[in-house]
Amino acid sequence: MTTRVLKRMPNGSGIGAGQTATFNLPLGLTYYQLDIRMSGDIGSGVADIPVANWADAIGEIRLYIDGAEKIRIDAADLASILQYRGQTLQAGVLPIMFANPSQRTPAGEDAPAYGTADVQSMTLEIDIDSGITSPSLTVYGLMGPQTPLGQHYAIKKYPFNVGNTGTRELQDIPRNGYGLLAMHVDTADVSSVELEVNQRIIRDYDRALGSAKGIQTGKVWQSGWTHVDLTESDRLSDMLIMNVEDFRLRLEMTGTGNNNLYTEEIREHQRSA
C-alpha cells in the first residue's frame, strides 16, 4: 500500500466573496503539498479559475503553524513562482508545494515537508476576491507518515517602494540561521542584479544572463518578474544560510512604483520550552 494519501481537508469557514476562508487542517501526518481547488464566476460564468486569473479569485494566502506565520503570498504571485520553477498549472488548482519535486534526491525533495506530530494547530487562510460570484473553494492535502516538524518550507513577503530609477539596495531581509533558497521580485523593471554577502559578491548578472542560467535546470523567468535563485542546481545544500553579518541585494531599477519581494526559505521549527 502507498505511504502517501491525497484527500480532501475538512470544510473551511467564511467561503464567500470578499471574505477570508479559514481551514483548520488535521494534525498528525506529514504534509508534502496542499492544493487549493476553486471554481467561480469571475465574469464569464462559473468555471474552474484559469491559471492567468487567480488574481480575480483570490488575494493573499497565509499559512500558520501554532499561530506563527509560515507562508504569506498573493495567489497570482504563487502561480508565477511555481511556473518559474517549471510547474505546468491546471485551471482550478493552485498547489502550495512544501516538498519540492525538482530536488535531485528524494531526501532533498522531502526535507521541507510539514510534519505535524508535535504541533498544536495548522491553519490556512485564503482571502477571496470581492468580485467573484458563486465561489466554490476546497483544499486537498498530499500526506504521508507521521513525523515531527523540523526543517520546513516558508515564503515571506517584503513590500518595498522604488521612488527613483537607478540602484535600489535592499538590506533589511532578516539575518539569522534559516536557509534562503530564492528571492522573487514582482517587476521586470530591473536591468541587472547584484547580491553581496559579507563583502563578497555572489550573484552579478543582467536579465538575459539570469534567464539563460535558469533555463539550464528548467527554470523559466516569468513576464513581469525578476528572479534571484540561490539553488539553480536543484540541490537543497546550495541554499544560503542567513546567519551572516551583511546582506545587500542591489537592483538596477528602470522603473518606479510599489513592489513586493518574496523569499523562499527553509526554516527550523522552534519548539517551546
Side-chain angles (χ1 to χ4, degrees):
M1 180 180 293
T2 180
T3 59
R4 297 194 181 190
V5 297
L6 176 63
K7 61 184 293 185
R8 180 171 172 167
M9 297 291 95
N11 291 336
S13 62
I15 298 174
Q19 298 188 52
T20 296
T22 301
F23 295 84
N24 294 312
L25 304 175
L27 302 176
L29 296 178
T30 297
Y31 287 83
Y32 300 102
Q33 181 173 316
L34 295 174
D35 290 292
I36 297 170
R37 181 76 177 92
M38 190 174 189
S39 63
D41 185 353
I42 57 173
S44 54
V46 175
D48 287 338
I49 305 302
V51 173
N53 292 99
W54 278 109
D56 300 316
I58 294 176
E60 198 170 72
I61 298 167
R62 296 173 296 276
L63 179 70
Y64 299 91
I65 294 286
D66 290 348
E69 182 183 284
K70 299 299 182 179
I71 289 177
R72 178 182 291 267
I73 190 170
D74 293 349
D77 295 342
L78 175 59
S80 293
I81 291 173
L82 288 167
Q83 290 172 310
Y84 163 74
R85 295 215 170 273
Q87 294 294 319
T88 300
L89 301 183
Q90 176 74 29
V93 180
L94 184 60
I96 307 174
M97 292 182 170
F98 309 133
N100 185 349
S102 69
Q103 292 294 333
R104 296 194 177 192
T105 66
E109 176 182 337
D110 291 347
Y114 277 56
T116 62
D118 59 344
V119 303
Q120 302 302 309
S121 66
M122 183 174 180
T123 305
L124 181 67
E125 294 182 350
I126 301 172
D127 293 340
I128 302 174
D129 192 87
S130 60
I132 192 173
T133 56
S134 303
S136 172
L137 178 61
T138 53
V139 174
Y140 288 77
L142 178 64
M143 299 174 291
Q146 186 179 73
T147 61
L149 181 63
Q151 288 189 327
H152 55 278
Y153 178 73
I155 302 176
K156 302 296 183 181
K157 180 180 182 180
Y158 299 98
F160 69 98
N161 175 263
V162 178
N164 301 287
T165 59
T167 303
R168 176 67 161 91
E169 184 172 277
L170 303 176
Q171 52 181 306
D172 297 330
I173 296 174
R175 302 189 302 277
N176 50 58
Y178 68 92
L180 182 63
L181 301 172
M183 296 175 283
H184 309 275
V185 184
D186 64 351
T187 178
D189 293 333
V190 179
S191 60
S192 63
V193 171
E194 183 179 89
L195 177 58
E196 181 180 344
V197 180
N198 288 346
Q199 293 78 53
R200 177 174 169 236
I201 303 298
I202 65 171
R203 291 293 188 278
D204 182 5
Y205 56 86
D206 62 11
R207 298 191 66 80
L209 182 58
S211 178
K213 295 302 292 180
I215 288 171
Q216 293 176 357
T217 50
K219 314 300 188 301
V220 182
W221 274 46
Q222 297 298 294
S223 175
W225 285 83
T226 300
H227 305 280
V228 186
D229 202 333
L230 284 307
T231 54
E232 301 102 325
S233 62
D234 289 328
R235 295 187 180 100
L236 199 61
S237 58
D238 282 353
M239 64 184 174
L240 175 64
I241 303 303
M242 287 293 287
N243 190 16
V244 299
E245 295 181 359
D246 188 59
F247 182 95
R248 300 173 188 270
L249 175 64
R250 300 185 183 98
L251 306 174
E252 197 64 26
M253 304 298 305
T254 60
T256 61
N258 295 316
N259 303 109
N260 291 312
L261 179 146
Y262 292 101
T263 58
E264 292 187 278
E265 306 173 358
I266 300 297
R267 291 272 175 174
E268 187 73 33
H269 182 44
Q270 301 296 319
R271 293 174 176 82
S272 300

